[in-house]
Amino acid sequence: MPLHIELVGSLAALITTLCWVPQIIKIVRHRETASISLVTNVSLALGVLLWLFYGIMISSWPVIAANGMTLLLILTILGLKLRYG
């Protein structure tokens, strides 16, 4: 894959992965998750897990890294939802 294409994918992956950090910070600060949908986040986690498997199958490091990190962040939100929910 050409380098410029990998860079675009890497930048997109970075932005969409890091977008979950403010949500986690807000949950930790306020210890409140009533407005967080458990069903939506479980569905998202399953979808991201499938994207991670896809990235592994096609050997795409941006897809693997982004979805691996996103999965960890979503699982963190799910854990906080179960704890504070």
Side-chain angles (χ1 to χ4, degrees):
M1 183 91 45
L3 180 60
H4 69 283
I5 293 174
E6 289 292 332
L7 288 174
V8 169
S10 297
L11 182 59
L14 182 67
I15 292 168
T16 58
T17 297
L18 293 180
C19 77
W20 297 104
V21 173
Q23 183 68 68
I24 292 171
I25 291 169
K26 182 178 180 183
I27 292 170
V28 170
R29 282 187 183 159
H30 297 281
R31 296 188 175 157
E32 191 277 314
T33 60
S35 63
I36 304 292
S37 169
L38 183 62
V39 173
T40 298
N41 279 278
V42 168
S43 299
L44 179 60
L46 290 173
V48 169
L49 180 64
L50 291 173
W51 275 112
L52 177 60
F53 289 155
Y54 174 74
I56 292 167
M57 288 188 281
I58 66 168
S59 299
S60 173
W61 287 109
V63 175
I64 294 167
N67 288 290
M69 283 301 302
T70 300
L71 184 60
L72 289 175
L73 294 171
I74 296 299
L75 291 175
T76 299
I77 290 171
L78 284 171
L80 291 168
K81 172 69 175 170
L82 294 174
R83 181 174 183 188
Y84 299 128

